[in-house]
Amino acid sequence: MKDYLQRAPFVRILLPLMAGILLSPHLPVVNSCLLPVLLLFTALGLILAERRKKNPGDLVPGFLFGLFFLLAGMASEKFRNREPDLVVGDTYMAILRETPIEKPGSFKAEARICSILQGDSVKNYRETILVYFSKTADVSQSRPGNRILFRRTPVNIENQGNPYEFNYKRFAALKGINRQVYLRETDFTDIGKSPEFSLFIFTEKIRENMLDIFLEKGITGTSFDLLSALTLGYRKTIDPEINRVFAATGATHVLSVSGLHVGILYIMVRAVFGFLRKRKRTTWLYVVLAFAVIWAFALITGFSPPVQRSALMFSLILIGENLRRPVNIYNTLAASACVILFFNPNLLYDIGFQLSYLALTGIVYFQPLMEGLFTFPNRIFRYAWSLFTVSFAAQLATFPLTCYYFHQFPLYFWLSGFVVVPLSFAFLFLGIALLTTSFLPVVPEILAQIALFLVKAMLWSLHLIERMPGALLQNFSFSVTTLLVTSGGIVCLVLFMETRNKKFLMFLTGLIAFGMLSSAYTRVSFNLHKEIIAYRAEQPLMHLIYGTRNYLLAPEKVLKEDYPEWQVNPVIRHYGLEKPALVAWEKDYADRILYKCGNAVVFDGISIWWSSKESGLILREPDVVVNTLPLSEAGFPFVKAVVVDYSRPSAKFHTEQVHNVFRQGARRIPIQ
């Protein structure tokens, strides 16, 4: 192991760097002012330790080396995530970073505030925000680089406050976005393009021009959405149903430009410009051209974390090849991760970043081992077996994280790989050919028709795989403990294969035993769990949980037409609940656990009363009151009751007895 780390020195740097990034938010005592001092003293100590005479088994230099990069990771995280100075002004000027995208109730775009008017003074300012334009606003001419003036003050991004929901506030903060603003038609003015140059906006405009070429050649609708995602990394218009199909078949990775696409581009570059490598005088030209093509592609496709990783990796491979140095793939992987994390430590929390590195590590390690299990004389069979082992190796390395984040696992991922991987190569080639020949007659139209046919063939194949029995395991609970146990098990298995040391098998056995006991304990505790949850929702929505059995109380229209899956499904997954019994507020219901008559509900001895304009039967002393009336009209004689308020909050009426879901989020009431 020691020899391996010496051959891959960047692995020794990466591990403490990641540890520092992870520890930094939990160590507020170590502030940004103290860290440079600690780094300086650690560096001096490391220099002195290297100069003095070393004794066998001396751990001081290694300790100081690891401590230095741990502190470097903490410093990088602290610098990146400094508390933003949120300035309030009278008028704001912002530059759009993208074309507004239509959402169900608005148009959404990222924008960067560049200046703020406060009284008679103008203050330069830098902050990226989310802008939501009303559906009545005319944003048809709004493009990246356009400046808008508005007077509404951006507000902090907040979560809905429902249990186990996606933490959108943290997700946005990790991207450097902390505020948002909603603008009606009369709230803003588009004053045209900004004279300021921005590389991000420049590349975004290039991508939009390329997308316009696809549209001009007759590629529209679903075909446009897929081709623009597969070639240019533009996913903003993809239909949710298409996303669902790709996720259910394990093919989501091709919808975002990733290492696969950069690898294909690298192969193309070698094929086209490879002749320049034959002479020493033109080798530098080959390197420059390859660098330019790879990084231009990375910028135009949105510079996502997997593309950053791939572009940096292939750049390092290019340098190694042309310096005639042997390339250690693990060292190259670690080096690219170190560079990326040093400049943007928040990417360590990015799902794409995590899955990208794990997938490639799994392919590099497991794929050669699996490919060597069988040999085929037929070239086609060899290619098919190689493709299968690549897919299997990537899934083996990533399945713990995939299950943890998405709570589903596609069983036929290996089958979809036979479809999407070859077609990804074809789509990238067709996309480049279509864009470069767009000025010619006939040729781009022929290429567009071929692309349309292949898109339809891909969708047909994936729909066929999705409809196969048992294609997708979904909505299962996968806790942090399960994630750690499965990941630890894979690491122990790898260490045993490398060292043949039986103690790693013992560790693996211990992990399996711990995982089984932990799972059994969790299952028992969940079976005994009883709780009432009043979700934050536009209409009264209550979840009554009794072990694995559960009931969903809501207006009949909500249950039939607008099922609240975003609020309910995270709780169902977390506790491993059965499919909920749907109980409409307008109808009566009765079984051995729940009794409902009119507006009165009794659940496991807890009485609930729904206060509304149609209230009929009134309970004298209910335990819980669900209110939908304005608080000034409601009045609550039930002093002991928990009041869950679904009326819009009013500053004129406030009491500690009342829990307003719009102001305070969901109300959870445990039942002993």
Side-chain angles (χ1 to χ4, degrees):
M1 183 61 70
K2 185 176 180 181
D3 293 339
Y4 168 75
L5 290 176
Q6 288 176 347
R7 294 196 306 271
F10 277 100
V11 175
R12 298 172 59 198
I13 296 173
L14 178 62
L15 295 177
L17 184 71
M18 290 169 57
I21 293 170
L22 293 172
L23 285 173
S24 181
H26 306 289
L27 295 175
V29 177
V30 185
N31 57 41
S32 302
C33 299
L34 182 61
L35 277 170
V37 179
L38 292 174
L39 274 167
L40 178 61
F41 278 106
T42 306
L44 290 174
L46 184 59
I47 293 170
L48 293 174
E50 287 293 333
R51 285 185 175 181
R52 69 184 176 86
K53 185 179 179 180
K54 296 181 182 178
N55 299 316
D58 189 358
L59 300 177
V60 174
F63 171 77
L64 291 174
F65 181 87
L67 180 61
F68 178 82
F69 285 103
L70 184 139
L71 293 172
M74 294 179 67
S76 176
E77 193 278 336
K78 295 286 186 189
F79 179 79
R80 180 77 182 190
N81 297 311
R82 289 172 296 177
E83 284 293 328
D85 183 19
L86 304 179
V87 178
V88 176
D90 301 321
T91 304
Y92 302 83
M93 179 186 290
I95 301 173
L96 292 178
R97 291 167 59 89
E98 60 184 352
T99 300
I101 302 299
E102 187 172 4
K103 298 293 180 180
S106 62
F107 293 93
K108 176 185 174 184
E110 282 187 18
R112 180 170 54 82
I113 297 177
C114 56
S115 57
I116 297 177
L117 177 64
Q118 293 177 316
D120 296 330
S121 63
V122 178
K123 181 177 180 180
N124 291 329
Y125 187 64
R126 291 291 182 272
E127 181 191 355
T128 302
I129 62 171
L130 292 178
V131 181
Y132 293 89
F133 299 96
S134 70
K135 280 294 183 107
T136 57
D138 182 15
V139 292
S140 59
Q141 301 302 316
S142 298
R143 292 290 182 269
N146 279 28
R147 294 172 296 173
I148 58 172
L149 291 173
F150 58 92
R151 300 180 66 88
R152 280 181 172 267
T153 300
V155 298
N156 290 331
I157 295 174
E158 298 292 345
N159 293 325
Q160 292 293 305
N162 289 315
Y164 313 113
E165 68 181 355
F166 175 67
N167 192 342
Y168 185 74
K169 180 179 181 178
R170 176 169 170 74
F171 172 77
L174 290 173
K175 295 174 64 178
I177 302 174
N178 295 283
R179 295 198 289 179
Q180 60 187 359
V181 65
Y182 181 83
L183 301 177
R184 298 187 182 90
E185 189 176 6
T186 56
D187 292 335
F188 73 97
T189 304
D190 191 323
I191 59 173
K193 298 189 179 299
S194 169
E196 180 183 339
F197 176 78
S198 166
L199 181 61
F200 179 90
I201 292 173
F202 176 71
T203 54
E204 189 70 18
K205 288 179 179 178
I206 292 175
R207 180 161 67 167
E208 290 206 347
N209 290 335
M210 291 178 173
L211 293 173
D212 288 339
I213 292 173
F214 287 163
L215 293 171
E216 289 170 6
K217 302 307 175 185
I219 301 174
T220 58
T222 302
S223 299
F224 169 80
D225 295 342
L226 282 175
L227 192 62
S228 57
L230 293 164
T231 56
L232 297 173
Y234 187 80
R235 296 186 57 179
K236 296 173 184 177
T237 58
I238 287 187
D239 189 278
E241 175 62 17
I242 299 298
N243 274 325
R244 187 194 64 77
V245 172
F246 274 76
T249 54
T252 305
H253 60 283
V254 302
L255 282 181
S256 56
V257 173
S258 62
L260 173 65
H261 302 78
V262 179
I264 293 170
L265 187 67
Y266 181 69
I267 293 171
M268 291 181 178
V269 168
R270 285 177 66 99
V272 175
F273 301 115
F275 68 93
L276 296 173
R277 301 173 64 207
K278 295 178 180 179
R279 295 183 179 181
K280 287 186 178 181
R281 292 182 179 180
T282 55
T283 299
W284 66 270
L285 182 58
Y286 166 76
V287 174
V288 170
L289 286 171
F291 264 72
V293 171
I294 289 172
W295 286 101
F297 179 75
L299 287 169
I300 290 170
T301 55
F303 214 51
S304 66
V307 172
Q308 292 179 39
R309 185 266 300 163
S310 304
L312 193 54
M313 268 193 61
F314 284 110
S315 298
L316 294 173
I317 290 171
L318 268 172
I319 294 170
E321 282 182 345
N322 289 279
L323 290 176
R324 301 295 189 267
R325 298 284 182 87
V327 178
N328 183 312
I329 188 63
Y330 297 106
N331 195 50
T332 305
L333 261 175
S336 66
C338 287
V339 173
I340 291 170
L341 291 177
F342 182 77
F343 287 102
N344 188 357
N346 290 342
L347 285 177
L348 185 58
Y349 300 97
D350 185 271
I351 298 175
F353 179 89
Q354 296 170 9
L355 293 177
S356 173
Y357 273 93
L358 280 176
L360 190 54
T361 303
I363 290 170
V364 170
Y365 182 80
F366 290 114
Q367 196 270 341
L369 298 176
M370 290 188 289
E371 189 175 26
L373 294 175
F374 299 98
T375 56
F376 298 93
N378 186 285
R379 186 177 179 180
I380 296 175
F381 286 163
R382 281 201 307 273
Y383 173 77
W385 174 243
S386 178
L387 200 56
F388 171 80
T389 54
V390 167
S391 297
F392 198 90
Q395 287 291 345
L396 182 60
T398 59
F399 90 88
L401 269 185
T402 302
C403 294
Y404 174 71
Y405 283 125
F406 305 112
H407 303 280
Q408 63 180 33
F409 188 78
L411 295 180
Y412 298 124
F413 64 87
W414 55 273
L415 199 54
S416 64
F418 289 117
V419 177
V420 297
V421 173
L423 286 180
S424 293
F425 191 104
F427 284 131
L428 190 58
F429 175 79
L430 284 169
I432 294 173
L434 181 58
L435 293 171
T436 53
T437 62
S438 59
F439 61 93
L440 297 175
V442 183
V443 175
E445 281 74 14
I446 295 173
L447 293 174
Q449 290 304 312
I450 295 173
L452 285 171
F453 172 77
L454 292 179
V455 165
K456 292 177 181 177
M458 173 187 276
L459 279 177
W460 179 84
S461 302
L462 293 181
H463 277 295
L464 188 66
I465 294 171
E466 183 207 8
R467 289 193 289 268
M468 294 174 67
L472 183 67
L473 299 177
Q474 58 183 334
N475 287 330
F476 53 79
S477 178
F478 203 88
S479 64
V480 175
T481 303
T482 309
L483 170 66
L484 295 175
V485 167
T486 51
S487 301
I490 293 173
V491 172
C492 286
L493 183 62
V494 169
L495 291 174
F496 172 73
M497 292 168 64
E498 287 295 310
T499 64
R500 299 298 175 181
N501 192 328
K502 292 183 179 179
K503 69 179 181 181
F504 292 115
L505 281 183
M506 294 176 63
F507 288 148
L508 178 60
T509 305
L511 279 173
I512 293 172
F514 173 76
M516 292 175 67
L517 289 173
S518 174
S519 178
Y521 173 79
T522 302
R523 189 68 267 160
V524 170
S525 63
F526 284 174
N527 285 338
L528 298 175
H529 175 72
K530 292 185 286 186
E531 183 181 13
I532 297 173
I533 302 175
Y535 293 104
R536 175 176 175 173
E538 291 300 320
Q539 300 291 330
L541 176 63
M542 302 196 72
H543 204 166
L544 314 180
I545 301 172
Y546 188 95
T548 58
R549 297 187 64 176
N550 60 112
Y551 306 83
L552 203 59
L553 271 68
E556 188 173 15
K557 184 178 180 180
V558 171
L559 296 177
K560 286 186 175 180
E561 299 178 10
D562 190 21
Y563 183 77
E565 58 181 334
W566 294 108
Q567 291 95 337
V568 176
N569 283 356
V571 173
I572 292 175
R573 282 196 299 264
H574 179 79
Y575 290 112
L577 304 178
E578 301 171 358
K579 186 177 180 180
L582 305 182
V583 181
W585 283 113
E586 297 87 347
K587 295 184 178 180
D588 295 339
Y589 182 91
D591 64 14
R592 67 180 183 85
I593 299 171
L594 176 69
Y595 175 79
K596 180 183 179 304
C597 180
N599 285 28
V601 179
V602 178
F603 172 68
D604 193 41
I606 303 295
S607 56
I608 305 169
W609 180 61
W610 181 25
S611 172
S612 67
K613 292 181 179 180
E614 295 80 21
S615 295
L617 176 66
I618 299 179
L619 296 179
R620 288 187 177 182
E621 295 183 0
D623 298 298
V624 180
V625 174
V626 181
N627 176 62
T628 58
L629 299 173
L631 290 179
S632 57
E633 301 176 13
F636 300 108
F638 320 111
V639 179
K640 296 181 181 180
V642 174
V643 179
V644 180
D645 181 32
Y646 277 90
S647 66
R648 286 294 174 180
S650 171
K652 297 179 181 179
F653 191 98
H654 177 71
T655 171
E656 293 183 1
Q657 179 191 3
V658 177
H659 180 100
N660 185 276
V661 294
F662 299 109
R663 182 191 290 123
Q664 298 166 274
R667 179 68 159 92
R668 303 183 67 174
I669 306 169
I671 301 175
Q672 302 299 329

